[in-house]
Amino acid sequence: MSETPTLDLSQAVDLSALMYKKAEEKAKQLPKPSGYRILCAIPEAEKQFEDSEIGLMKADETMRNEEALTTVLFVVDMGPDCYQDPSKFPNGPWCKQGDFVLVRPHSGSRLVIHGREFRIINDDTVEAVVD
């Protein structure tokens, strides 16, 4: 008869303080992109349909789908090697920090930090800068 393993909570770490940090402290917890990667935020989807005169609200599932499939991202930070290859980028960088860029749906690595979705994309996946 085998014994049931016991859980030793003396080594546990209390992470609850991370959930209640101020916005400035949360912003410092964003990952720093490395190499030729770009950290992008996903703009929040509109909560109601644009052409709805009666204020028709979108379902939560619709909002999640719009955010997951979005092709417009906001450039938060860029890795140190972005756009450094002159043979690949002879005309210089394709975007800069603070730009809204157009990418293909499902581009990059998705991550959620404090309830906001971000993506880390490669510098050559930017297809256009948009308003």
Side-chain angles (χ1 to χ4, degrees):
M1 182 176 211
S2 64
E3 288 186 32
T4 305
T6 59
L7 182 61
D8 180 14
L9 295 178
S10 66
Q11 301 297 315
V13 178
D14 181 13
L15 299 176
S16 62
L18 292 176
M19 296 177 62
Y20 304 107
K21 290 192 175 228
K22 295 179 183 174
E24 300 84 32
E25 293 170 323
K26 288 180 182 180
K28 293 177 188 173
Q29 295 174 348
L30 294 177
K32 177 78 175 144
S34 61
Y36 53 86
R37 292 180 181 80
I38 302 173
L39 175 66
C40 297
I42 295 184
E44 289 185 25
E46 295 290 326
K47 296 187 186 311
Q48 68 182 35
F49 290 98
E50 277 185 36
D51 297 334
S52 175
E53 293 178 15
I54 59 171
L56 186 60
M57 301 301 285
K58 294 178 184 176
D60 289 341
E61 183 69 19
T62 301
M63 300 265 301
R64 277 191 295 277
N65 286 339
E66 283 185 13
E67 289 178 356
L69 295 173
T70 188
T71 57
V72 176
L73 306 175
F74 179 76
V75 177
V76 175
D77 199 3
M78 300 173 75
D81 299 329
C82 283
Y83 304 113
Q84 296 298 313
D85 183 352
S87 64
K88 193 172 186 179
F89 307 105
N91 297 320
W94 294 355
C95 68
K96 63 185 181 314
Q97 191 172 349
D99 283 346
F100 284 93
V101 295
L102 185 66
V103 298
R104 293 176 183 257
H106 301 292
S107 291
S109 300
R110 295 174 57 194
L111 58 144
V112 177
I113 302 171
H114 299 292
R116 287 286 317 260
E117 184 168 329
F118 294 85
R119 289 198 196 153
I120 296 179
I121 63 171
N122 295 339
D123 59 1
D124 62 355
T125 60
V126 172
E127 297 191 359
V129 175
V130 296
D131 288 334

